[in-house]
Amino acid sequence: MALAPSGGPVVAEVEMNAGADLGATTVRATVVQASTVFYDTPATLDKAEKLIAEAAGYGSQLVLFPEVFVGGYPHGSTFGLTIGSRSAKGKEDFRKYHAAAIDVPGPEVSRLAALAGKYKVFLVMGVVERAGYTLYNTVLSFDSLGKYLGKHRKLMPTALERVFWGFGDGSTIPVYDTPLGKIGSVICWENRMPLLRTAMYAKGVEIYCAPTADVLPSWQASMTHIALEGGCFVLTANQFCRRKDYPPPPEYTFGGLDEEPSPDTAVCVGGSSIISPSGTVLAGPNYEGEALLTADLDLGEIVRAKFDFDVVGHYARPEVLSLNVKTEPRHAVSFTG
Amino acid sequence: MALAPSGGPVVAEVEMNAGADLGATTVRATVVQASTVFYDTPATLDKAEKLIAEAAGYGSQLVLFPEVFVGGYPHGSTFGLTIGSRSAKGKEDFRKYHAAAIDVPGPEVSRLAALAGKYKVFLVMGVVERAGYTLYNTVLSFDSLGKYLGKHRKLMPTALERVFWGFGDGSTIPVYDTPLGKIGSVICWENRMPLLRTAMYAKGVEIYCAPTADVLPSWQASMTHIALEGGCFVLTANQFCRRKDYPPPPEYTFGGLDEEPSPDTAVCVGGSSIISPSGTVLAGPNYEGEALLTADLDLGEIVRAKFDFDVVGHYARPEVLSLNVKTEPRHAVSFTG
Amino acid sequence: MALAPSGGPVVAEVEMNAGADLGATTVRATVVQASTVFYDTPATLDKAEKLIAEAAGYGSQLVLFPEVFVGGYPHGSTFGLTIGSRSAKGKEDFRKYHAAAIDVPGPEVSRLAALAGKYKVFLVMGVVERAGYTLYNTVLSFDSLGKYLGKHRKLMPTALERVFWGFGDGSTIPVYDTPLGKIGSVICWENRMPLLRTAMYAKGVEIYCAPTADVLPSWQASMTHIALEGGCFVLTANQFCRRKDYPPPPEYTFGGLDEEPSPDTAVCVGGSSIISPSGTVLAGPNYEGEALLTADLDLGEIVRAKFDFDVVGHYARPEVLSLNVKTEPRHAVSFTG
Amino acid sequence: MALAPSGGPVVAEVEMNAGADLGATTVRATVVQASTVFYDTPATLDKAEKLIAEAAGYGSQLVLFPEVFVGGYPHGSTFGLTIGSRSAKGKEDFRKYHAAAIDVPGPEVSRLAALAGKYKVFLVMGVVERAGYTLYNTVLSFDSLGKYLGKHRKLMPTALERVFWGFGDGSTIPVYDTPLGKIGSVICWENRMPLLRTAMYAKGVEIYCAPTADVLPSWQASMTHIALEGGCFVLTANQFCRRKDYPPPPEYTFGGLDEEPSPDTAVCVGGSSIISPSGTVLAGPNYEGEALLTADLDLGEIVRAKFDFDVVGHYARPEVLSLNVKTEPRHAVSFTG
Amino acid sequence: MALAPSGGPVVAEVEMNAGADLGATTVRATVVQASTVFYDTPATLDKAEKLIAEAAGYGSQLVLFPEVFVGGYPHGSTFGLTIGSRSAKGKEDFRKYHAAAIDVPGPEVSRLAALAGKYKVFLVMGVVERAGYTLYNTVLSFDSLGKYLGKHRKLMPTALERVFWGFGDGSTIPVYDTPLGKIGSVICWENRMPLLRTAMYAKGVEIYCAPTADVLPSWQASMTHIALEGGCFVLTANQFCRRKDYPPPPEYTFGGLDEEPSPDTAVCVGGSSIISPSGTVLAGPNYEGEALLTADLDLGEIVRAKFDFDVVGHYARPEVLSLNVKTEPRHAVSFTG
Amino acid sequence: MALAPSGGPVVAEVEMNAGADLGATTVRATVVQASTVFYDTPATLDKAEKLIAEAAGYGSQLVLFPEVFVGGYPHGSTFGLTIGSRSAKGKEDFRKYHAAAIDVPGPEVSRLAALAGKYKVFLVMGVVERAGYTLYNTVLSFDSLGKYLGKHRKLMPTALERVFWGFGDGSTIPVYDTPLGKIGSVICWENRMPLLRTAMYAKGVEIYCAPTADVLPSWQASMTHIALEGGCFVLTANQFCRRKDYPPPPEYTFGGLDEEPSPDTAVCVGGSSIISPSGTVLAGPNYEGEALLTADLDLGEIVRAKFDFDVVGHYARPEVLSLNVKTEPRHAVSFTG
């Protein structure tokens, strides 16, 4: 919490396990609310290490970073597009954004794996992934032994995102069975996709990570709903960015505003939070600054919640409603032989 | 609102269509928050007529009643069950409850149809449906010409409900295409079923009715989430019941309490509300008494919201995630020939 | 009970509705345990009238006769058959048996209808039906207005029955919706056919009539099971026949015995009884002589029982187990044009 | 029978094969009537081993345990539910009950397989199966070589069971063709489902195992009826539990009673028995204490019984009555590709 | 050409069939270069009729309109989007755009069919299709008898188009076998998709229609290449729009420009043309105004060209390179039963 | 450019990176437009060295030679074939042509490798490859360290080429990942094969080499289209040959002409050029003589172009259109053991 004097308490009081010796696992989890160093991936990784170290210092076992923390979320940009036209400046903006993205695997992935191992945390990190000349909004997961586990690519970018990110497929919607529970990630408005969430529930997700860029109050309603619907802990991490976290104009301009924001203006106000399976808010939402939000997750809450409602178990009606998830990778071209 | 001096304004101020001439349809809708006259279906229907008349007097075109308004929600009952045993009193409780239920079609359905026609409202009414000796938690819909349109049976009862209600199937999940928009109903914790909601979205629901018995604050989060997820108006109606709305003890007892509640104790505190496709609360939630909650629904809001997110349209990924809904009726026995 | 000094009380004490004013319908029902006047159908019909009159005198609203009361059950006969050979005597036995059977419709049916109307009882009567040269084991039903309602032909004769009765089909398995409840009949070992019983349950049978010729104690177990399984009242009627109810030898001989039984020997010992939906025996079983067994059926018991178990309702799993009943008549030859 | 001095003889006298040399297989089978060690699955398994060893000592080849012997039947509990509300204590009760359940496959299944192999018995064991956060009422079967064969999940839980057990499907209704005959299991009130029984008959069940929690006398009628209807041996096993077999209050409370039962009060009185295809009771019912009930099953009885009545063979009428069983597993979500 | 005094000659001189009597079919085809009446679909259809009538007056048998002629191409709009934010004005812009779109089938489709029949032309018309709340960039085809044949939905919108148009699938890539030859349509930058073009070649396209919004000179290179690659006639139609064809500001604003364009400024400069299978330009490109471009297509050119190069025939290497086209419709939700 | 006084500037002005320090890689590339010394392979290689040295002198890092520069393109020959007959002269012509071809590997390949190393250029060289008695139209690649990397055999010869060249397979369609970018080659009308090009795109080709013998203006349209479609630099090299570059008649005759061309007649007029990913022509086309055409390739252009259109990335629809490339070598006979 050192980064955020206005933040909430480092460790939320979790009422439901007070005074009880339930024999259930408790996991200390930290959600990072911080800004990318835009166009500077090495500096962003340095900042990530500092934040991971701080969380580990509090005893956190799981650290979740915001959507595209590595690579950055281009708030206020339009990449020079209006319908039917595009600008040279916008194309060059994209070239720089492409340059700040990372290959998976690649040296930045190796560094992140090493950080997870060094600080002994399960690390969930949002990145901009570069696959040739198409970029993806991707989340990487690493275990506390420093092993890179895999990635989730956002299935469907939202609105303008569709002009700079490609679309994921069914081959990268993992849930990892870890000593801390079953952990998976769903990105931003993917969280509004009921079929994708159901796929995650079917994979048994217990700690549901929702890195996002949505700052509206209604986002908290969705997070609460998902906790209830899925009977899982929901952790949502958003960036808190000020204008000065982006290059100054004219290199980087904020569109859709009457005037250029001042350097200290918040251009993304966070809203990170942690919610229990019964819909109790354990930490956040914090809208005031960069912060680490930490809570102890009593995993026994999951079974207590699923007693009432198990969305893919006793409360499902598979003979009426059945979802099929196609998990094969989709390639325009495959080479065989 | 005559019934509820403590209720909110009769017509909510809907900010998004103030001063605009959008050419879009506006629908005035009323959500009824009132109690069943328990074990007395004729009196309940009389009360329904009074409430419909009042809503129609405000110009409402659509009136939604709570879950099982006709037949009643047996709050506090256990029907005499503990695991492995049952009581004669509980069986007799069920016989009375069965007697208060209605056949569909049947005389009570005809009366409701006549009320819809008389007051020229689209009527959505929760009832306990009797089909032989199994009861269903059912919602009936009637158009403003007085025609009975059809029913939705709750697919999956919740917790103890499973001992007194049967399970619906895929043949009764209708959405009606009406002059007021496409109207459908999902009951109580069915609203937590992402696959069922997706089926409703695929049918194009625009005015999503959610009769319920859930009084928790987290219910409002779910309603807001559904409005966002589905890009639809969400109307939720719950009963406001006091102890005295049920027969006095010993005929009817409230279990799970330290002592018998006083006659005026609220045993179901409502929480009815109306929410727009962008997540704006247009009316309610009201937790204070019986009330009519009314709002003007600017249907243009739907398309504005779906521009960002169309859950079964441009934001879906059907080649990865596809839901199948089996719509045939399920009968243990069919007779053919 | 005049016929049966050793019989049970005319009206069983039904403990579960003692002292209660439940508002439920109560039906007084009588099961007739008596013998055919063999080879003498007019005399059998006279006897039937006498028994109906007596039951009506007790206030009975429903009177059930045994399997093939009209026409008779040829106990002890072999119709001259051993495997691979037949006798002229046996053929002549069949000619007489065929002559004692009745056409449906026909004069005997008209007389039975008139009796039902005269005594204002719902009448269920077992008969041997003659259709050309094939006989059927049939049950006829008549309402208390004297109207013939229809027939059920035994679907599958048992053992040696297959040599003198034909097989019914799915066109004659009726359940009648009457002011006394829903009434249907299933004959003798048809009651061991779980699919046929399920068809009856699906038709909503509430008063399940089981005319029979089975005298074993295990028959009572089946009757109790059916009451529980179907959540219905079960009435079973068997003949009580002595040797002298059949023509004396050599016209009619009892096969398979070491010696000709004495005239007073019981060759069919009855076992008629009435059982409630919860498995309580309301009357019988009577193994001592001809008798009328009567009980008051509290129809409220049905809903109390189905609360726990509704075999074609809330306890069914139609998406896993589904029965199809083909109801069209089966004719070897059909004429169309 | 060492456990049950008040029990019946260890080996019932089976009259129908006395003095006969029929050439048919005889199987010695034991039904266990004993209580779970509640909330203590390792101790329950230890107790199971002791009982298996004892039965094997008598020469038993088949050992049947009661419904949910592993995991336990929560007699008297309500899991804190009244209609419309639930308690924190009830949720925690469920968490403990969930913790005592077993994964299939899993270490407890391996141990049970080893026991079957060690004592050379065909073992049929009722368990609470844990599948994620939904529990199932399941029966596991193991052959005498120590191989786990498969499971049956109860298709439809009864009454309050529906709040803590999920629903099986058509993929787990096995009948195993073994050297001892064809063996299958149907749980508690599933035995009242005529379509499910018919499915078992169609699979050729010869030794029909009916683990149960029903203690009423009418249960015996159903068991007799099934033996007759199916032409099979019926073995029914119930627990005999005293209050002290459950945790003391307040950890575990018995609802629906006027006062807390004394430690020695029987809260489940057994009624285990063994019945032949002709409806003869070979052992039990025992209502007096924990016991092993053993009988020698003359498999020749089956064909003798089916001569009269073969429910899916010569006595069926498939052109009129046909049952369809859907055997595919039902999953809310399937992953393909 | 009445509309376009600055246009080219009405009928291009097609040198390759001058003086020859080749016995091949010649088709007179017209490409329409004209602007939508933005936000006014009835007026746009009136304009379409006038243009079709004029083309028919020249003897044209085939008339191709530009991409989204009905509904309009929102040049210069951004729908209020910058990355991470959106405006109320932009949402309302979308609502109007959605209102100007057409249902397929629907009244506008019926009118277009009637026009094709009235003027006896094969009509290919670009429209904005409305499917619930998602829009598609669609081309409709009608035969000269006035029959609606089907549609092609653009598979992949370009750049900002992805925020207001959904994605087509493999079920709508038709080629129609007509008396004029095999006719198909590929929209705008879909023409850059080599796999989609190959699918069209494999369906045998002979008259390849390419409605577009691309005005760059390089577009002509692509059209020439496709004619060579596919061995087919290529017809490309673009709108010629002036600022005044759109609503004036502030209702409609052009983004990405230094200043608001004058009413007569061309905001889309056309470039429509017709090219032969050998790469010869038969008409256009016209960059000067609204125009009808007409050419006579000598279908014998196709076989002359394919002698050298048949992309899916003799010049293919299917054992090395094989394309699979999945043609089933993709629905997020399917209803069956 | 010394060889070609009429050629364009040695280094094209590339407008899009003027004055910018983009941090992107720039590659200087030279396309050789020159003629084979027909039937004289050693002399051809000497000429190649001279041209490489000159390009290296300009600072070129990549040198592309025309199709079959080594071995020669037999313009004007028919190898004595008319349909149904052949001549002895034609057979001898083939023998000589076969003699001028080179084995791969072989001494000429070694010499070419040495040249690449000596002049520190990435070398792409068209050759006639001799494999036993079948010849292939092949392109060889060498890195600037003098290493032979591999070959591409033309998959499908065009028209008469099919009588003297064999067909390649999927094992030789390489793209090399080099410090200069990803480099691959596609020969002549292979460039019209959309599936082969797509395979190259999927391999990530950034510098797309198109050695050719096509001199038509429409070839430039195809090159421009490929640059746009593939988002890559396209380099096309053709020979500029005069009659005198071939043996004089009667040893070598030009068929299909009215008269023997004069020695200085151009029999292949070149057309070599270099095009950027946005379709801008950076050098050429030169139709006037032998020449070296050189341009600086700003690789940043690739990402700027792919922002709009990534043919195998964000603009692909792999779930609809998927290409399979079989990469195994195809041998008429394989030996295994």
Side-chain angles (χ1 to χ4, degrees), chain A residues 78-81 85-99 130-136 160 162-169 328-337, chain F residues 21-24 173 182 198-200 202-204 206 231 278 298-308 310-328:
Chain A
T78 61
F79 286 101
L81 292 169
S85 74
R86 50 190 66 80
S87 70
K89 165 80 166 60
K91 291 186 179 188
E92 177 60 11
D93 288 349
F94 182 72
R95 195 199 57 74
K96 289 181 187 170
Y97 191 63
H98 181 269
R130 183 174 53 217
Y133 289 102
T134 289
L135 304 180
Y136 293 96
L160 263 186
R162 292 178 191 167
V163 306
F164 55 92
W165 287 330
F167 302 176
D169 61 30
E328 72 271 26
R330 305 281 181 157
H331 300 298
V333 185
S334 60
F335 296 88
T336 57
Chain F
D21 177 7
L22 303 179
I173 46 174
K182 293 180 178 161
T198 304
M200 298 301 283
K203 290 186 167 192
E206 293 169 328
S278 61
D298 168 10
L299 297 189
E301 276 298 277
I302 296 170
V303 64
R304 289 182 207 110
K306 299 251 185 169
F307 173 45
D308 283 342
D310 185 353
V311 68
V312 294
H314 65 79
Y315 215 103
R317 290 295 307 278
E319 71 281 12
V320 178
L321 298 156
S322 58
L323 171 65
N324 184 259
V325 184
K326 294 229 163 42
T327 60
E328 71 272 23

Side-chain angles (χ1 to χ4, degrees), chain D residues 255-297:
Chain D
L257 301 177
D258 292 336
E259 57 182 35
E260 168 67 22
S262 72
D264 284 323
T265 300
V267 294
C268 178
V269 299
S272 305
S273 62
I274 301 175
I275 301 174
S276 83
S278 61
T280 302
V281 178
L282 304 183
N286 177 313
Y287 295 107
E288 298 178 33
E290 291 195 325
L292 300 184
L293 292 92
T294 301
D296 287 344
L297 316 181

Side-chain angles (χ1 to χ4, degrees), chain A residues 47-193:
Chain A
K47 183 172 179 178
E49 176 162 11
K50 186 175 160 194
L51 293 162
I52 293 167
E54 184 172 349
Y58 292 133
S60 270
Q61 299 159 280
L62 168 66
V63 181
L64 168 66
F65 277 77
E67 187 180 3
V68 292
F69 181 76
V70 175
Y73 193 93
H75 281 289
S77 177
T78 61
F79 286 101
L81 292 169
T82 55
I83 292 167
S85 74
R86 50 190 66 80
S87 70
K89 165 80 166 60
K91 291 186 179 188
E92 177 60 11
D93 288 349
F94 182 72
R95 195 199 57 74
K96 289 181 187 170
Y97 191 63
H98 181 269
I102 66 173
D103 290 326
V104 178
E108 294 85 358
V109 175
S110 300
R111 181 169 178 197
L112 289 167
L115 291 179
K118 177 178 179 186
Y119 295 102
K120 297 183 172 41
V121 296
F122 192 98
L123 175 62
V124 183
M125 176 64 75
V127 306
V128 181
E129 178 193 359
R130 183 174 53 217
Y133 289 102
T134 289
L135 304 180
Y136 293 96
N137 180 334
T138 295
V139 168
L140 307 177
S141 293
F142 305 88
D143 72 15
S144 62
L145 299 174
K147 183 178 174 195
Y148 164 59
L149 298 178
K151 70 183 170 188
H152 166 56
R153 282 179 175 170
K154 190 176 182 181
L155 272 180
M156 176 49 80
T158 304
L160 263 186
E161 296 175 359
R162 292 178 191 167
V163 306
F164 55 92
W165 287 330
F167 302 176
D169 61 30
S171 69
T172 58
I173 46 175
V175 169
Y176 303 108
D177 193 356
T178 82
L180 308 181
K182 293 181 179 163
I183 303 174
S185 298
V186 178
I187 303 169
C188 202
W189 277 18
E190 279 190 328
N191 286 285
R192 284 194 180 176
M193 297 174 77

Side-chain angles (χ1 to χ4, degrees), chain E residues 127-308:
Chain E
V127 304
V128 181
E129 178 194 357
R130 182 175 53 217
Y133 289 103
T134 288
L135 304 180
Y136 294 94
N137 181 334
T138 294
V139 168
L140 308 178
S141 293
F142 306 87
D143 71 15
S144 63
L145 299 176
K147 184 179 174 193
Y148 165 59
L149 298 178
K151 69 184 171 187
H152 166 55
R153 282 178 175 173
K154 192 176 181 182
L155 272 179
M156 176 51 80
T158 304
L160 263 187
E161 295 174 359
R162 292 177 191 167
V163 306
F164 55 90
W165 287 329
F167 302 175
D169 61 31
S171 69
T172 58
I173 46 174
V175 170
Y176 303 108
D177 192 356
T178 82
L180 309 182
K182 293 181 179 164
I183 303 173
S185 298
V186 177
I187 303 170
C188 201
W189 277 19
E190 279 190 329
N191 286 286
R192 285 195 180 177
M193 298 175 76
L195 302 185
L196 176 59
R197 293 196 312 269
T198 305
M200 297 300 283
Y201 304 149
K203 289 186 169 192
V205 67
E206 294 169 330
I207 302 178
Y208 181 110
C209 298
T212 192
D214 187 327
V215 298
L216 294 178
S218 58
W219 181 254
Q220 302 302 320
S222 286
M223 294 300 100
T224 297
H225 173 81
I226 292 168
L228 294 168
E229 180 181 83
C232 51
F233 288 92
V234 174
L235 285 64
T236 184
N238 196 356
Q239 299 198 26
F240 188 98
C241 310
R242 298 187 191 276
R243 174 63 184 89
K244 65 188 176 192
D245 292 318
Y246 290 79
E251 181 179 3
Y252 193 98
T253 56
F254 273 77
L257 301 177
D258 292 336
E259 56 182 36
E260 168 68 20
S262 72
D264 285 321
T265 300
V267 295
C268 179
V269 299
S272 306
S273 63
I274 302 176
I275 301 174
S276 84
S278 61
T280 303
V281 178
L282 305 184
N286 177 314
Y287 294 109
E288 296 178 34
E290 293 196 324
L292 300 185
L293 291 93
T294 300
D296 286 343
L297 317 180
D298 168 12
L299 298 189
E301 276 298 277
I302 296 169
V303 64
R304 291 181 208 114
K306 299 250 182 173
F307 173 47
D308 283 343

Side-chain angles (χ1 to χ4, degrees), chain C residues 18 22 75 145 157 172 325:
Chain C
L22 303 179
H75 283 290
L145 299 175
T172 58
V325 183

